[in-house]
Amino acid sequence: MDESGENGGGVAPILRLDAVSRHFGEANNRLDVLVGADLDVYPGELVALAAPSGAGKSTLLHIAGLLERPNEGDVTVGGRLAGQASDSERTAIRRVQIGFVYQFHHLLGEFSAVENVMIPQLIRGLPKKVAEQRAMQLLAYMKVEGRASHRPSELSGGERQRVAIARAVANAPRLLLADEPTGNLDPVTAGYVFEGLAKLVRASKLAALIATHNNDLAARMDRRITIRDGKVVELD
Ligand code: ADP
């Protein structure tokens, strides 16, 4: 790693946490969740975040996703310093650069699968035809194009998560953040859904930070990290 933040191959990280600290409460009640945490995630890289409940996984994801500010330190997403930027700048960076996948799909129940993937693109101002074409491509990539016209209530759990992943990358973000994306699925379905997600991340050269308790999936990622004493620590 040199001073420009590039690794040996000259590639800059998409996500960088630089000496990030986050505490809750004050004085005697102060809880230090992150204490000078550093993390880099590079294009095409899948990083598993595995830590016991309460260790700070959600806090780390929220800070990386620009949903929460660190008390100290900085966050860079796609080359843009965001930790101390204004709220409107942070929102703009988040909209363009970051996709989120949650344990519960959060798809809009009134809309079909393809519409759910189109909506973020329409909000961004893309013409309907273009949005529909990209949505269908992403659904095909996630192997769920046959269910495009179905509403979420008509889909299986695995299908819903495939659609949620397609929606998260609809606007071609650089960073994908996921919190137990397969946590509600049986192990076999979880494996298939993860396979689709991993292929998409690698093919699009996204950087992905994925909180999971599933050791099999963590083992299939490029790196495994945890949070220990408020710091990000590499496992294995
Ligand atoms: P994890 O996702 O690993 O379970 P969290 O990041 O949700 O952990 O929480 C880490 C610690 O910080 C927990 O002890 C939690 O209770 C505390 N915490 C999280 N958010 C807040 C908040 N807004 N106010 C006070 N304490 C919080």
Side-chain angles (χ1 to χ4, degrees), residues 22 24-25 31 33 51-60 68 227:
R22 180 77 173 114
F24 297 106
L31 176 68
V33 178
S53 186
K57 296 182 297 298
S58 305
T59 302
L60 188 81
E68 222 175 281
I227 301 167

Side-chain angles (χ1 to χ4, degrees), residues 20-24 31-35 37 49-61 63 68 179 211-213 225-233 235:
V20 161
S21 294
R22 180 77 173 114
H23 60 256
F24 297 106
L31 176 68
D32 287 294
V33 178
L34 299 174
V35 185
L49 171 59
S53 186
K57 296 182 297 298
S58 305
T59 302
L60 188 81
L61 286 173
I63 287 176
E68 222 175 281
D179 196 355
T212 182
H213 284 110
I225 60 170
T226 191
I227 301 167
R228 208 168 280 153
D229 300 327
K231 296 208 164 23
V232 173
V233 180
L235 293 169

Side-chain angles (χ1 to χ4, degrees), residues 3 8 29 56 89 108 122 158 162 174 187 195 215:
E3 281 176 11
N29 284 326
E89 279 175 280
L108 299 171
L122 298 176
R162 289 170 191 272
R174 314 250 358 251
E195 194 176 291
N215 290 335

Side-chain angles (χ1 to χ4, degrees), residues 61-79:
L61 286 173
H62 289 164
I63 287 176
L66 311 185
L67 295 166
E68 222 175 281
R69 284 177 189 275
N71 298 105
E72 285 162 49
D74 220 329
V75 184
T76 309
V77 179

Side-chain angles (χ1 to χ4, degrees), residues 118-151:
M118 288 169 68
I119 288 167
Q121 304 179 73
L122 298 176
I123 291 171
R124 202 181 125 204
L126 288 184
K128 203 170 160 212
K129 274 255 169 314
V130 176
E132 187 171 11
Q133 202 176 10
R134 178 164 169 82
M136 285 307 296
Q137 279 169 355
L138 287 169
L139 292 178
Y141 202 93
M142 291 307 295
K143 296 200 167 73
V144 74
E145 75 273 28
R147 315 291 283 160
S149 61
H150 293 256
R151 291 186 179 188

